[in-house]
Amino acid sequence: QVQRALLALTVPLETLQVVKGRMLQAMREGLSRQTHAQANVRMLPTYVCSTPDGTEKGDLLVVELCQSHVRTLWVTLLGDGNQNPQVTHKTFDMPGDIMQGKGEALFDFIAQCVRQFLAGISSPRHRLPLGFVFPFSCRQTRLDKAELISWSKGFSCSDVEGKDVVQLLQSAINKQELYHVDVVALMNDTVGTMMACSMGGKPCEVALTMDTGTNSCFMAEAWQVEMAEETSGRMCVNTEWGCFGDDGTLSDILTPYDQRVDQESSNPGEKRFEKLVGSLYLGEIVRHALAALAAEKALFVGSSVTILRTKDVLKAPQVLEIIDNEEGMAEARRALEALGLRPSQRDCCRVQQICRAVVSRAAALCAAGLAAVLSHMCQSRELERLVVNVGVDGELYRGYTRFREILQSVTGLLAPECVATLLPSVDGTGWGAAMVTAVALRVAAQRHEMDRLLAPLRLSRTDLERVQALMRREMELGLGRESNANASVRMLPTYVCGTPDGTERGEFLALDLGGTNFRVLVVRVAEDGIRMASEIYVIPTAVMRGTGEALFNHIVECIMDFQQKQDLMERVLPLGFTFSFPCQQLGLDKAVLLSWTKGFSASGCVGQDVVQLLREAAQRKQHLGLKVVAVVNDTVGTMMSCGYDDPKCEIGLIVGTGTNACYMEELQNVGTAEGEQGRMCINMEWGAFGDNGCLDNIFTDFDRLVDEKTINAGKQRFEKLISGMYLGEIVRHILLALVEKELLFRGKPCPKLQTRDIFQTKFLSTIEMGVVMVTVPWVWDSDGLALRQVQAILQDLELQASFEDSVLVREVCQTVSLRAAQLCAAGLATVVEKMRENRGLAQLDVTVGVDGTLYKMHPRFSQHLQQMLRDLAPNCTVTFLRSEDGSGKGAALVAAVACRGAEPWGQP
């Protein structure tokens, strides 16, 4: 009979694996908004989103509601890594009738304890934040707002369930005229345990309590906690796993002893897992097992066993003492004799075996639950191996060495992919609550400072409408013959007066100079489409910044090399030249360079016709077969390239290293070119928008720092807010400011971050790529994965970033790239609205040909741009068409349109 009882109380490893799987499923149901209401493992959000980092400081007050008393603590943190906190505490015994009385009386008593405690320590009257430890199941909607779901542990105060317990306590405190005391955080003992164990620079992300009841909590990926609105970073989830099995999922491991304990409890059918694990019930399980064995004459033969029918005659502390190897037998005899039994030596041995089986089963089941939590964390963070600290508290863990050993070993067997270090908690409820409160204050202060720092970069609808109005004014000035010289948006005529119509035929050369790489192409336009061959040539920095003669000599040498490789040296082909720098175009094949951008500064070029410079270089190199018919910039080329595929494409947009736009303007509005009929493509050169100071109010200190270090300080101001060349630098300067304010990397010096251009714009795309994957429902990914990408980038920059640091860095990147997209949208909205008004249309339907690495590679830029454009220009339907080789194919198409109607080109 004893062996059968011991076997019934033993859960094999295979069954524990099954229990772990069921717990994982129950956790998923609790996290999901769809199934949360029916879930037994509630997975309640706690709104604790950070663990201590050692910088917390200030005076804190803690109130803990315990089983029979109220404990108050005054904690002073010095910002020294929390190594030397100053703690004063006092305990107040609670009258017995309060636990079942009115809720108002309970909270009034707690508030009176606070008043007496503060009076006793002569506390100052400055604002005093209070953390409230409330060890009952609550539905939290904020850190300082929580509705009681249900009482337990002998409490049943009226008119509290369903009420916000934080507000009830705050009202009671105010009645005591303690108006300087603010309840800022509510937590249960499990969360307090986790926070108390996050010390010495070692974050603790899981906690387990095994006391009269049992519970766990852990730092979950916030996006998975669907019952909370927070989607970024991590949030501590209170599993409330004591209710696991209330739906019958544990029925196959329940013994008759467990069933009787449940039937005699105050809440039959509820808290089934807790009744297998919590110390409140272990003595009762042992009692029922002993009573059953005595009834079968397997124990206490010759003794009256009536006492074993009496509830609670055996308590958990006695059970824990009985299972002690050395003193256990003697303790068993003492405990049994105290009950009036006359145990034999064999009886004492068998009682000890039963006690060990009950406690060992509790430890193994706790291990199955902990393994489920750890595996969930490992899976959701997409880690091959999770290394984590687990804070542990409760009399079962503290009181029985074998319990700790079983918990550790079985957890390892059930979750071999996880390495968990169990950290015993020291005053998890008091000290831990102080840490929750301190971290909440630190995070709130950081949030306030972060918002203040980023506020100038967060543009309102009014800001963007003002940018729109300013852009329209500058466009009108740029189009006017008299006012053009004073406009920051130059609105340069391109002498491109038509877009492709599909009749273009022939072979054309194209040159593309717009950055550090130079391309030469041959483009064959036929009835069945366009075919191209091209080669890329590097322009050395020394050539970019040397003489104009050397630059154009290098270009011609590249052309000759390409023509030789393509066997084109003996042929004269019309050539379209994409020259992506600000020019004043005096004809289709005549363009005077106004200024260099993008790092170029070759001498002797500004003020000169770039086509003539190219022709002169060809003469110097004795390359006489060069026939330049059109010079365009990459923006016009992009429009023409997309116009070949979509006749409605009448706008070109570049958002890459630099930014620019062009569009088809009514010729009668172009005061700087002759003619009244038809349309002409206008190269806006909008990168210089704001060079006259009209955008100074949206320029931030970070933008000014970036501008000052460029080779064209004070120029291309709009471009420096938008384009890829500058966004990484803006982010870098913001990060430096955050470090200086000790909001990032714990304020530690970051020498590498002082290096100009170390934070590349491509990092913004990589960082936000993870965010997009999280928000796309058919791509399973995690916010944690996205933030690990941030950490990896920062680590490459020799920056040791915490998880919270990564969240802040990502927010900075998102803010900077969003502003860039919105400003680009404001400029484009101005263009489409002007085209609509020009044509007298109620609704404009137009296509934008777009190119540039920022637009194409950044995962959210295009989305933000298009959304804001819809908001700012609701009367325009704008389609975006990505250009494929606009600067190359587009230049050839400009040449093809210019040659349209003539004999097919490409003859020897």
Side-chain angles (χ1 to χ4, degrees):
Q1 297 100 319
V2 174
Q3 287 302 317
R4 281 203 307 271
L6 292 173
L7 188 62
L9 290 165
T10 301
V11 185
L13 191 63
E14 295 79 9
T15 305
L16 290 172
Q17 282 282 14
V18 173
V19 172
K20 174 196 167 184
R22 293 171 183 169
M23 178 71 85
L24 270 169
Q25 179 59 32
M27 288 168 61
R28 283 191 285 268
E29 290 171 0
L31 286 169
S32 169
R33 186 180 296 276
Q34 290 183 330
T35 53
H36 176 82
Q38 294 79 39
N40 296 120
V41 180
R42 301 302 301 277
M43 305 296 283
L44 302 172
T46 67
Y47 296 86
V48 172
C49 298
S50 182
T51 53
D53 67 4
T55 64
E56 294 81 11
K57 53 188 173 183
D59 295 326
L60 309 161
L61 186 60
V62 173
V63 174
E64 178 188 0
L65 178 59
C66 303
Q67 190 77 31
S68 59
H69 59 272
V70 170
R71 189 165 69 123
T72 54
L73 296 91
W74 175 283
V75 180
T76 300
L77 299 175
L78 305 175
D80 59 354
N82 303 323
Q83 297 301 309
N84 300 292
Q86 300 169 8
V87 181
T88 304
H89 62 90
K90 186 174 182 179
T91 299
F92 298 85
D93 290 331
M94 191 159 47
D97 57 345
I98 280 187
M99 294 171 63
Q100 287 83 34
K102 291 184 177 180
E104 184 179 4
L106 171 65
F107 287 98
D108 282 345
F109 175 75
I110 296 171
Q112 289 164 12
C113 295
V114 172
R115 181 173 56 77
Q116 292 178 36
F117 176 63
L118 293 178
I121 61 173
S122 302
S123 66
R125 297 287 295 183
H126 61 69
R127 178 179 179 266
L128 194 55
L130 182 147
F132 183 26
V133 183
F134 189 73
F136 303 97
S137 181
C138 289
R139 184 180 296 105
Q140 274 188 266
T141 52
R142 290 198 316 250
L143 190 57
D144 62 350
K145 185 177 177 64
E147 294 178 0
L148 175 65
I149 295 174
S150 61
W151 287 113
S152 60
K153 304 172 187 176
F155 280 78
S156 58
C157 298
S158 63
D159 204 28
V160 179
E161 291 183 355
K163 299 284 185 67
D164 178 6
V165 293
V166 173
Q167 187 55 50
L168 292 174
L169 178 59
Q170 187 68 65
S171 298
I173 287 173
N174 291 344
K175 277 199 285 185
Q176 298 295 323
E177 299 184 353
L178 299 173
Y179 301 112
H180 64 300
V181 175
D182 290 331
V183 186
V184 301
L186 177 137
M187 73 242 53
N188 66 11
D189 49 352
T190 317
V191 178
T193 294
M194 184 186 79
M195 298 296 271
C197 292
S198 292
M199 305 299 293
K202 299 176 182 177
C204 177
E205 295 187 277
V206 186
L208 186 61
T209 53
M210 292 157 292
D211 210 60
T212 52
T214 183
N215 197 13
S216 65
C217 68
F218 68 99
M219 294 300 287
E221 308 304 298
W223 67 274
Q224 290 188 320
V225 189
E226 295 182 12
M227 296 306 294
E229 294 180 3
E230 183 65 47
T231 59
S232 180
R234 291 179 182 149
M235 180 184 288
C236 180
V237 169
N238 168 26
T239 67
E240 288 294 339
W241 73 8
C243 295
F244 174 49
D246 287 4
D247 58 354
T249 53
L250 292 178
S251 58
D252 54 344
I253 65 167
L254 294 177
T255 67
Y257 324 127
D258 302 311
Q259 301 286 20
R260 294 188 191 109
V261 169
D262 178 58
Q263 291 162 9
E264 291 180 0
S265 69
S266 60
N267 53 351
E270 298 177 10
K271 299 266 185 179
R272 300 309 297 268
F273 188 65
E274 184 166 280
K275 288 170 184 172
L276 297 173
V277 170
S279 65
L280 188 63
Y281 305 97
L282 298 188
E284 282 294 278
I285 298 171
V286 170
R287 178 178 70 86
H288 278 290
L290 299 184
L293 289 170
E296 294 175 355
K297 306 297 183 183
L299 286 177
F300 313 130
V301 177
S303 297
S304 171
V305 293
T306 308
I307 189 67
L308 292 178
R309 298 177 194 151
T310 306
K311 189 177 177 183
D312 293 331
V313 293
L314 269 178
K315 300 287 189 181
Q318 293 171 295
V319 172
L320 292 176
E321 288 175 7
I322 289 171
I323 58 182
D324 183 270
N325 285 327
E326 296 179 4
E327 302 293 332
M329 290 287 285
E331 179 56 36
R333 182 172 295 280
R334 280 194 295 271
L336 295 170
E337 288 178 347
L339 296 177
L341 299 169
R342 296 193 302 276
S344 66
Q345 187 71 8
R346 189 178 67 170
D347 289 336
C348 292
C349 181
R350 288 177 172 177
V351 168
Q352 189 181 48
Q353 287 179 303
I354 294 294
C355 289
R356 283 178 180 164
V358 169
V359 176
S360 296
R361 184 184 66 162
L365 289 171
C366 270
L370 179 57
V373 168
L374 297 177
S375 291
H376 174 87
M377 293 173 69
C378 192
Q379 292 165 13
S380 62
R381 298 181 187 187
E382 292 202 341
L383 298 173
E384 291 183 6
R385 187 177 181 82
L386 173 73
V387 180
V388 69
N389 289 332
V390 179
V392 193
D393 203 357
E395 70 173 318
L396 281 177
Y397 184 80
R398 291 191 302 265
Y400 180 35
T401 304
R402 182 63 180 149
F403 188 100
R404 297 195 292 272
E405 292 171 351
I406 293 171
L407 178 65
Q408 183 85 62
S409 62
V410 175
T411 300
L413 290 170
L414 296 178
E417 76 281 18
C418 305
V419 179
T421 302
L422 304 186
L423 304 175
S425 172
V426 178
D427 192 14
T429 49
W431 173 239
M435 295 315 304
V436 171
T437 309
V439 168
L441 294 174
R442 170 176 60 78
V443 170
Q446 285 179 338
R447 180 75 266 159
H448 175 77
E449 188 61 29
M450 185 81 168
D451 288 341
R452 190 192 66 78
L453 201 71
L454 294 180
L457 292 110
R458 290 173 170 152
L459 302 179
S460 65
R461 174 71 178 264
T462 303
D463 293 329
L464 294 168
E465 288 173 347
R466 186 167 182 274
V467 170
Q468 224 178 325
L470 289 169
M471 175 72 86
R472 180 62 180 263
R473 187 188 74 183
E474 293 296 309
M475 287 174 67
E476 300 291 0
L477 290 173
L479 288 170
R481 183 183 298 274
E482 304 298 329
S483 56
N484 174 269
N486 299 320
S488 65
V489 180
R490 299 301 302 276
M491 304 295 286
L492 304 173
T494 66
Y495 297 88
V496 172
C497 296
T499 53
D501 64 6
T503 64
E504 297 78 16
R505 301 287 183 271
E507 288 186 293
F508 307 89
L509 280 178
L511 314 180
D512 175 17
L513 177 63
T516 54
N517 292 330
F518 168 63
R519 285 192 311 148
V520 187
L521 308 90
V522 60
V523 180
R524 297 175 175 89
V525 185
E527 188 174 351
D528 60 350
I530 294 177
R531 295 186 302 280
M532 296 186 295
S534 65
E535 187 151 346
I536 296 173
Y537 298 89
V538 175
I539 301 180
T541 303
V543 174
M544 289 168 59
R545 300 179 180 178
T547 65
E549 188 173 301
L551 173 62
F552 281 91
N553 283 349
H554 179 71
I555 292 170
V556 171
E557 288 167 4
C558 294
I559 294 170
M560 293 171 68
D561 177 77
F562 178 78
Q563 286 188 284
Q564 284 175 345
K565 290 176 179 176
Q566 295 290 326
D567 196 23
L568 297 172
M569 285 298 287
E570 303 304 319
R571 303 176 68 184
V572 179
L573 299 180
L575 184 147
F577 184 13
T578 298
F579 188 74
S580 305
F581 301 93
C583 289
Q584 181 179 3
Q585 203 138 355
L586 304 176
L588 190 58
D589 64 346
K590 186 176 179 65
V592 175
L593 177 63
L594 298 176
S595 63
W596 283 117
T597 57
K598 306 174 190 175
F600 280 74
S601 58
S603 62
C605 298
V606 174
Q608 301 297 311
D609 176 10
V610 294
V611 175
Q612 187 58 35
L613 292 175
L614 183 62
R615 287 169 176 157
E616 289 172 0
Q619 289 176 348
R620 286 193 297 273
K621 295 294 180 180
Q622 299 183 339
H623 184 48
L624 305 179
L626 208 60
K627 183 175 180 61
V628 183
V629 300
V631 58
V632 297
N633 70 4
D634 53 350
T635 318
V636 178
T638 294
M639 183 188 77
M640 297 295 278
S641 173
C642 293
Y644 185 81
D645 299 313
D646 184 349
K648 290 191 296 186
C649 183
E650 296 186 89
I651 301 172
L653 174 66
I654 299 291
V655 195
T657 309
T659 184
N660 194 16
C662 69
Y663 71 103
M664 297 302 290
E665 176 61 87
E666 308 304 310
L667 190 53
Q668 65 185 10
N669 294 337
V670 186
T672 51
E674 300 299 324
E676 293 290 326
Q677 299 300 315
R679 294 172 182 151
M680 180 183 287
C681 180
I682 296 297
N683 168 24
M684 295 179 66
E685 289 297 341
W686 78 4
F689 176 39
D691 287 4
N692 59 0
C694 66
L695 291 181
D696 283 359
N697 67 310
I698 67 166
F699 255 68
T700 67
D701 291 340
F702 309 116
D703 300 314
R704 293 185 184 93
L705 287 168
V706 172
D707 179 50
E708 288 167 4
K709 297 297 183 182
T710 59
I711 61 172
N712 58 345
K715 304 292 185 184
Q716 298 294 111
R717 303 293 298 277
F718 192 57
E719 183 168 271
K720 288 171 184 173
L721 300 174
I722 291 176
S723 73
M725 179 171 275
Y726 306 101
L727 297 190
E729 271 297 274
I730 296 171
V731 168
R732 184 178 71 86
H733 281 288
I734 296 171
L735 299 185
L736 283 171
L738 291 172
V739 172
E740 184 180 346
K741 293 180 180 296
E742 298 187 357
L743 299 177
L744 202 59
F745 312 133
R746 301 188 188 179
K748 294 177 181 176
C750 303
K752 197 85 176 272
L753 205 53
Q754 300 285 347
T755 307
R756 188 179 168 198
D757 294 326
I758 196 73
F759 199 96
Q760 300 171 38
T761 297
K762 70 177 182 181
F763 294 162
L764 278 74
S765 297
T766 303
I767 286 168
E768 292 203 54
M769 179 63 74
V771 182
V772 170
M773 293 174 76
V774 170
T775 56
V776 176
W778 58 85
V779 178
W780 195 92
D781 195 357
S782 74
D783 195 47
L785 176 61
L787 289 167
R788 287 199 304 280
Q789 291 177 334
V790 183
Q791 284 180 301
I793 288 170
L794 296 174
Q795 195 164 4
D796 288 344
L797 299 177
E798 298 175 12
L799 301 170
Q800 296 304 312
S802 68
F803 191 86
E804 286 78 10
D805 289 334
S806 300
V807 173
L808 294 182
V809 170
R810 185 178 65 182
E811 183 179 353
V812 171
C813 292
Q814 290 171 331
T815 302
V816 170
S817 60
L818 174 62
R819 182 186 67 158
Q822 290 177 333
L823 286 170
C824 193
L828 203 53
T830 312
V831 171
V832 296
E833 276 296 309
K834 187 174 193 312
M835 292 175 69
R836 185 183 67 80
E837 292 173 16
N838 285 346
R839 302 175 188 189
L841 299 173
Q843 189 77 23
L844 174 71
D845 190 359
V846 69
T847 297
V848 178
V850 61
D851 204 351
T853 51
L854 185 60
Y855 184 90
K856 287 184 172 180
M857 302 304 293
H858 191 285
R860 288 192 158 191
F861 190 94
S862 60
Q863 173 190 338
H864 291 316
L865 166 61
Q866 292 174 35
Q867 177 60 56
M868 186 50 65
L869 179 60
R870 285 192 291 270
D871 292 346
L872 295 175
N875 296 320
C876 301
T877 302
V878 183
T879 302
F880 285 80
L881 183 60
R882 293 190 179 205
S883 170
E884 298 302 328
D885 195 17
S887 51
K889 184 171 78 172
L893 284 166
V894 172
V897 170
C899 300
R900 196 164 55 198
E903 288 297 314
W905 285 82
Q907 303 303 317

